[in-house]
Amino acid sequence: ARAAGTRWEGVVQLVLPLPSLPMDLRHNSKIDRLQLAAAVAPRVAPLLASASRPPLLRTEDVLAAQPRRLFAACCATQAGILLLLGPVGPDLLRLQLCFSPSRFRAAVAGWRPGGELWHFRAHFLLDAWYPVLYGALLVHRAAALLPAGKIRRRLQALATFGACCDIVENALHMHAAAAPSLDAAPDWLIVAAAAAATTKWAVMLPVCWMLRPGSG
């Protein structure tokens, strides 16, 4: 009734008169909120139980839904990458992990500008974004699967690091593909790209295994 005719009408539902407020002994001017909550909880609980309000969006619901969308995006991107790679696809992993500049150049020596080289260049249209997608997927997967703590943080850090290695590898190979022929790629670039790719696979395979479906 006291709120009638004021801007609080319809907002204030209950007034709880208290003889005094519990004070925090460490600070005479501060209210002890824990004691205050314990004192008013029995009288407020029935009001909260009867109040009609929409359900809150829980953090765990968001974390459970986000990986599904990211997984769908990863699957679609991977399918597009395989389509763009075309005849280069079967040889890509071997090229990624090749530390020998001579063997790398021998493998790409017969690539035609309008054929294999075109496919190799085209797949970066999607592969440039793919590490961001699967890195985010694994980070969200870890958050949805594991409780907060060191294990979850370390898995998320490893997933991020592995995705960053993939980005470095892609950047090096895109730099090499910008030349008229991959034969012109310098030795240091071939070795650095192979090191980034090897590190990526060494990190991501255990992480994916630990966060695989059904591992929870």
Side-chain angles (χ1 to χ4, degrees), residues 132-213:
V132 178
L133 288 175
Y134 73 68
L137 170 65
L138 293 174
V139 168
H140 279 279
R141 171 67 177 166
L145 185 66
L146 301 170
K150 289 184 179 179
I151 295 178
R152 187 172 87 178
R153 289 195 300 270
R154 287 174 181 174
L155 281 176
Q156 290 174 327
L158 286 172
T160 303
F161 175 69
C164 289
C165 289
D166 200 354
I167 292 173
V168 172
E169 174 207 338
N170 285 339
L172 292 171
H173 281 155
M174 282 191 287
H175 179 72
S181 173
L182 285 179
D183 295 350
D187 291 356
W188 70 264
L189 188 148
I190 295 173
V191 174
T198 302
T199 305
K200 171 193 70 177
W201 287 110
V203 170
M204 299 306 289
L205 287 177
V207 171
C208 291
W209 172 257
M210 286 184 280
L211 298 178
R212 70 192 185 280

Side-chain angles (χ1 to χ4, degrees), residues 73 80 85 193:
L85 280 171

Side-chain angles (χ1 to χ4, degrees), residues 11-214:
V11 177
V12 177
Q13 301 293 322
L14 181 66
V15 176
L16 298 176
L18 296 174
S20 62
L21 293 176
M23 304 302 295
D24 190 334
L25 297 179
R26 298 168 299 176
H27 307 281
N28 292 332
S29 61
K30 290 188 177 181
I31 299 173
D32 191 326
R33 296 182 180 181
L34 294 178
Q35 291 189 31
L36 180 62
V40 302
R43 301 173 63 180
V44 176
L47 178 65
L48 296 178
S50 61
S52 59
R53 56 182 177 178
L56 296 176
L57 184 62
R58 300 180 302 169
T59 303
E60 53 267 30
D61 294 335
V62 175
L63 293 176
Q66 192 72 4
R68 288 194 291 268
R69 291 189 284 268
L70 287 170
F71 180 74
C74 285
C75 289
T77 304
Q78 182 63 61
I81 290 173
L82 293 175
L83 183 64
L84 289 173
L85 280 171
V88 179
D91 297 327
L92 185 63
L93 183 60
R94 181 165 57 90
L95 290 175
Q96 286 180 349
L97 303 179
C98 182
F99 280 87
S100 171
S102 59
R103 288 201 300 268
F104 182 91
R105 293 190 181 96
V108 302
W111 282 15
R112 298 160 299 169
E116 294 86 352
L117 186 55
W118 181 90
H119 284 282
F120 183 72
R121 289 169 175 166
H123 96 279
F124 288 115
L125 293 172
L126 295 178
D127 202 11
W129 301 99
Y130 189 48
V132 178
L133 288 175
Y134 73 68
L137 170 65
L138 293 174
V139 168
H140 279 279
R141 171 67 177 166
L145 185 66
L146 301 170
K150 289 184 179 179
I151 295 178
R152 187 172 87 178
R153 289 195 300 270
R154 287 174 181 174
L155 281 176
Q156 290 174 327
L158 286 172
T160 303
F161 175 69
C164 289
C165 289
D166 200 354
I167 292 173
V168 172
E169 174 207 338
N170 285 339
L172 292 171
H173 281 155
M174 282 191 287
H175 179 72
S181 173
L182 285 179
D183 295 350
D187 291 356
W188 70 264
L189 188 148
I190 295 173
V191 174
T198 302
T199 305
K200 171 193 70 177
W201 287 110
V203 170
M204 299 306 289
L205 287 177
V207 171
C208 291
W209 172 257
M210 286 184 280
L211 298 178
R212 70 192 185 280

